[in-house]
Amino acid sequence: MAERITIKKPDDWHLHVRDGAMLKAVLPFTAAHFGRAICMPNLVPPVVTAKEAVAYHERVRAAIPEGSKFQPLMTSYLTDNTDPNDIEAGFRDGVFTAVKLYPAHATTNSTYGVTDFKKINPVLARMEKIGMPFLIHGEEADPDTDIFDREAVFIERRLQPMLKNFPGLRIVLEHVSSREGVDFVRAHAPQLGATITPYHLMLTRTDWLGYGNRPYMYCMPVIKRREDRDAIRRAATSGETCFFLGTDSAPHPVSRKLNTVGVPGIFNSPVAISLYAQVFAEENALDRLEAFTSLNGPKHYRLPPNTETITLERTGWTAPEEVEVDGPDERALIHRGGETIQWKVVAA
Ligand code: DOR
Ligand code: ZN
């Protein structure tokens, strides 16, 4: 008998589904395996107001395959001028689940992000008051900060003061990518939690740059050293409730990935749950997979876990290489596409 595991249906607490033809092409992969997903607001232009989020939610819902119970959860893109009243009204109406901070110029579509951290204090105070989660792209965008130190510098310069000034504000450090980040989250749980991507669990910067430049391993925050990866693996597989699943699946058209200036982002939703299972199996921690994929996230967000289940089996399968996208975008390549993947979803 092949090895099998049945767990409560996972949620994806960090996802980019984009818009238009790309949204239609990529959303079915997430809806097939996940109960809910936090949909990131970094569209062009970004999703800032509750009104914009209602409209985006409609477009996302229209892309869900018929019969699927998948629920998209919407976020507001924080700017210097975000109105706390709009955030509160959106949260109370169930339009917004959380607010997302992109420091300006830190990553893809972050030009509208926060430039002056003093200006966001009224919004943070309001979120603290109403119990609304705050999601952070935790990288210092100051050009003097080395790209491999951006997370550690952000933590010291920005995150530490926020935790202190707003002790009731629940924060997620998204896609934690460094040993310093992991240690900091652990020390500040449960106020602070972190999502972990499948690729930060598996790759090192030597994989990315050591055998040719592999643009499909380029993401923000960038992949770091082996020691960082190993710390992230220990955190995810430890069972500690502050660490939970967030794929950061971020599809881009091939023409934007393979360009003189390529964009960061790894489209992994078709293989994500299989890769998490592989990592947990390698670490002899399959008994803790469900906590990471399906329990810890809801706990941080104060939502009930899903009631449905998903079953994975240790059976080799080949992931598709790409997804076709209508129109000028044409296609997006899938992380690990064309390779044999060890764990397969056999029931969901
Ligand atoms: O690699 C990334 N891609 N990191 C981000 O923060 C944004 C994302 C995207 O939207 O493509
Ligand atoms: Zn992201």
Side-chain angles (χ1 to χ4, degrees):
M1 261 285 278
E3 204 177 335
R4 274 184 168 230
I5 179 166
T6 296
I7 53 175
K8 275 200 198 323
K9 199 165 228 192
D11 300 300
D12 188 348
W13 299 103
H14 187 132
L15 176 69
H16 301 267
V17 290
R18 315 302 191 199
D19 212 342
M22 186 66 93
L23 165 63
K24 285 200 184 67
V26 303
L27 189 65
F29 291 104
T30 293
H33 297 165
F34 295 90
R36 293 164 288 197
I38 285 281
C39 297
M40 288 296 163
N42 62 333
L43 306 183
V44 188
V47 179
V48 174
T49 64
K51 194 170 162 218
E52 287 158 356
V54 168
Y56 185 39
H57 185 242
E58 271 313 301
R59 302 199 295 280
V60 174
R61 274 171 40 96
I64 300 173
E66 210 158 314
S68 166
K69 292 200 197 129
F70 172 74
Q71 280 178 33
L73 306 177
M74 311 317 283
T75 53
S76 166
Y77 183 115
L78 185 60
T79 71
D80 286 355
N81 305 311
T82 293
D83 172 8
N85 293 330
D86 184 60
I87 294 296
E88 175 164 359
F91 184 61
R92 294 209 190 279
D93 293 345
V95 175
F96 287 135
T97 297
V99 171
K100 174 75 187 276
L101 161 68
Y102 291 97
H105 312 298
T107 184
T108 313
N109 305 343
S110 61
T111 42
Y112 299 85
V114 171
T115 64
D116 181 349
F117 279 75
K118 286 190 299 298
K119 289 199 176 152
I120 64 172
N121 285 337
V123 180
L124 302 192
R126 187 71 64 90
M127 291 167 67
E128 178 182 42
K129 190 166 151 219
I130 64 178
M132 184 176 189
F134 186 39
L135 318 181
I136 296 184
H137 183 108
E139 289 197 286
E140 178 57 54
D142 166 2
D144 290 338
T145 302
D146 186 90
I147 187 148
F148 287 97
D149 300 333
R150 279 180 172 187
E151 187 167 278
V153 173
F154 181 92
I155 287 170
E156 198 189 309
R157 221 179 262 178
R158 314 282 186 192
L159 185 52
Q160 183 111 51
M162 276 188 230
L163 287 160
K164 207 162 136 241
N165 295 339
F166 302 98
L169 181 62
R170 263 172 311 128
I171 299 180
V172 181
L173 178 62
E174 298 293 336
H175 37 54
V176 64
S177 68
S178 63
R179 187 170 51 180
E180 292 92 334
V182 163
D183 290 344
F184 188 82
V185 170
R186 194 174 270 134
H188 293 82
Q191 187 190 358
L192 183 61
T195 51
I196 297 181
T197 75
Y199 50 85
H200 287 106
L201 280 171
M202 298 184 102
L203 301 176
T204 68
R205 64 190 196 181
T206 307
D207 298 322
W208 167 31
L209 298 167
Y211 312 96
N213 168 23
R214 295 180 182 260
Y216 276 85
M217 294 184 186
Y218 173 53
C219 56
M220 296 275 191
V222 292
I223 303 288
K224 298 184 172 61
R225 300 172 164 275
R226 174 185 277 270
E227 296 90 279
D228 297 296
R229 185 201 57 184
D230 292 350
I232 296 165
R233 279 175 92 96
R234 281 194 298 276
T237 57
S238 67
E240 290 163 277
T241 52
C242 55
F243 298 110
F244 43 92
L245 185 158
T247 64
D248 199 11
S249 182
H252 289 286
V254 173
S255 58
R256 295 201 65 209
K257 283 294 290 174
L258 305 182
N259 201 302
T260 315
V261 180
V263 285
I266 299 179
F267 173 36
N268 66 80
S269 61
V271 295
I273 193 68
S274 297
L275 298 183
Y276 286 118
Q278 180 185 328
V279 168
F280 277 70
E282 285 167 1
E283 300 292 330
N284 286 318
L286 276 176
D287 57 328
R288 299 193 197 123
L289 180 66
E290 182 180 58
F292 176 78
T293 61
S294 320
L295 303 176
N296 297 350
K299 193 159 186 198
H300 188 85
Y301 276 81
R302 300 192 178 149
L303 293 169
N306 294 313
T307 49
E308 299 89 348
T309 60
I310 181 173
T311 301
L312 291 123
E313 192 175 280
R314 197 197 289 268
T315 308
W317 65 288
T318 309
E321 285 186 27
E322 59 185 45
V323 61
E324 257 186 66
V325 183
D326 281 346
D329 282 353
E330 291 171 6
R331 63 201 177 103
L333 302 197
I334 296 171
H335 180 53
R336 308 288 298 267
E339 291 181 33
T340 302
I341 309 285
Q342 293 174 15
W343 285 81
K344 186 177 180 189
V345 176
V346 290

